[in-house]
């Protein structure tokens, strides 16, 4: 028997397994459980403006569908080659806004691949380790960041007072400024609470003497008594400050 025959026989042997309903159900169930854990981590660490339920459902379906595909092609060599060719022509045009969302999608796909290949223990333990590491990393670096867009529309005579009060905030960055006759509209990127929540909150309270409540929107009270102020808005925002 030649070397090529040995390779051929070993490859064919790997694809002669049979698929049972029980094995398929187990793979789908394991991938579903892991997907729920991935969704749990995603919801706990979500920092965007709008929470997308469709993306969460996509993670769950992506994991289970991947497990089904891997389970199907693992028993048939011809089918696996055909599946590779079919999937190679698929193109996804939907843009993913947050890079971390892409990572969660790859995580779901990887979990589905491992579950479909029958590596249940590796899939469960690996996902658990990834989730714990990511959650701890998130809590250490980003948990207390609350970023907003502060939009101020005011008369030009109020500019000095507006700038003075903005500069007293814990952290700010001018994003845009426009003029229309005697009216100015300025947009600032602000961070009310930094990594040290208590310290930053205290600094914000000292700067904003007029604040009354315990909510982030209290910052609006800091500007409302300025003469010439026409409008002030606070918009939830997610971005990284340039250091």
């Amino acid at each position: 028997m030649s070397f090529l025959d040995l390779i051929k026989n070993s490859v064919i042997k790997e694809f002669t397994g049979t698929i049972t309903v029980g094995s398929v159900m187990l793979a789908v169930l394991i991938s579903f459980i892991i997907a729920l854990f991935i969704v749990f981590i995603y919801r706990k660490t979500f920092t965007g403006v709008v929470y997308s339920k469709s993306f969460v459902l996509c993670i769950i379906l992506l994991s289970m569908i991947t497990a089904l595909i891997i389970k199907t092609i693992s028993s048939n060599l011809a089918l696996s080659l055909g599946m590779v060719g079919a999937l190679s022509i698929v193109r996804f045009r939907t843009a993913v806004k947050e890079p971390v969302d892409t990572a969660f999608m790859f995580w779901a796909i990887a979990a589905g691949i491992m579950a479909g290949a029958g590596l249940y223990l590796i899939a469960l333990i690996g996902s658990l380790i990834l989730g714990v590491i990511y959650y701890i990393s998130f809590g250490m670096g980003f948990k207390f960041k609350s970023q907003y867009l502060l939009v101020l529309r005011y008369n030009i005579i109020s500019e000095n007072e507006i700038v003075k009060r903005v500069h007293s905030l814990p952290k700010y960055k001018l994003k845009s400024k426009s003029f229309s006759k005697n009216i100015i509209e300025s947009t600032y990127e602000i961070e009310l609470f930094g990594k040290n929540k208590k310290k930053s909150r205290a600094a914000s309270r000292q700067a904003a003497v007029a604040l009354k409540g315990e909510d982030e929107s209290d910052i609006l009270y800091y500007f409302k008594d300025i003469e010439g102020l026409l409008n002030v808005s606070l918009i939830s925002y997610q971005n990284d400050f340039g250091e």
Side-chain angles (χ1 to χ4, degrees), residues 8-111:
K8 184 188 299 184
N9 291 335
S10 63
V11 171
I12 294 176
K13 185 178 179 180
E14 290 294 330
F15 287 90
T16 54
T18 57
I19 301 178
T20 62
V21 176
S23 63
V24 173
M25 294 296 293
L26 181 59
V28 173
L29 179 61
I30 294 296
S31 63
F32 175 70
I33 293 173
I34 296 175
L36 290 181
F37 176 71
I38 296 173
V39 168
F40 173 78
I41 296 296
Y42 178 77
R43 294 188 63 178
K44 287 293 184 180
T45 58
F46 179 76
T47 56
V49 177
V50 180
Y51 177 75
S52 175
K53 291 184 178 180
S54 62
F55 180 75
V56 170
L57 294 176
C58 175
I59 290 177
I60 297 175
L61 287 175
L62 196 60
S63 181
M64 293 191 296
I65 292 172
T66 304
L68 281 175
I69 293 175
I70 297 300
K71 199 67 179 177
T72 302
I73 67 177
S74 63
S75 62
N76 191 303
L77 178 59
L79 183 60
S80 64
L81 295 176
M83 187 71 72
V84 171
L87 294 178
S88 65
I89 65 174
V90 177
R91 296 292 184 270
F92 297 96
R93 301 297 182 183
T94 303
V96 180
K97 296 181 180 180
E98 295 292 337
V100 70
D101 290 351
T102 305
F104 275 97
M105 293 178 67
F106 274 107
W107 185 2
I109 293 173

Side-chain angles (χ1 to χ4, degrees), residues 149-162:
L149 288 179
L150 180 66
V151 183
L152 298 162
R153 191 167 181 267
Y154 51 91
N155 195 288
I156 193 171
I157 61 174
S158 308
E159 183 174 16
N160 291 335
E161 182 63 24
I162 292 288

Side-chain angles (χ1 to χ4, degrees), residues 150-156 158 162 178 180 182-187 226 228-233:
L150 180 66
V151 183
L152 298 162
R153 191 167 181 267
Y154 51 91
N155 195 288
I156 193 171
S158 308
I162 292 288
S178 60
S180 178
N182 292 328
I183 304 301
I184 301 176
E185 182 171 299
S186 300
T187 302
I226 299 177
L229 178 67
L230 302 178
N231 186 49
V232 55
S233 302

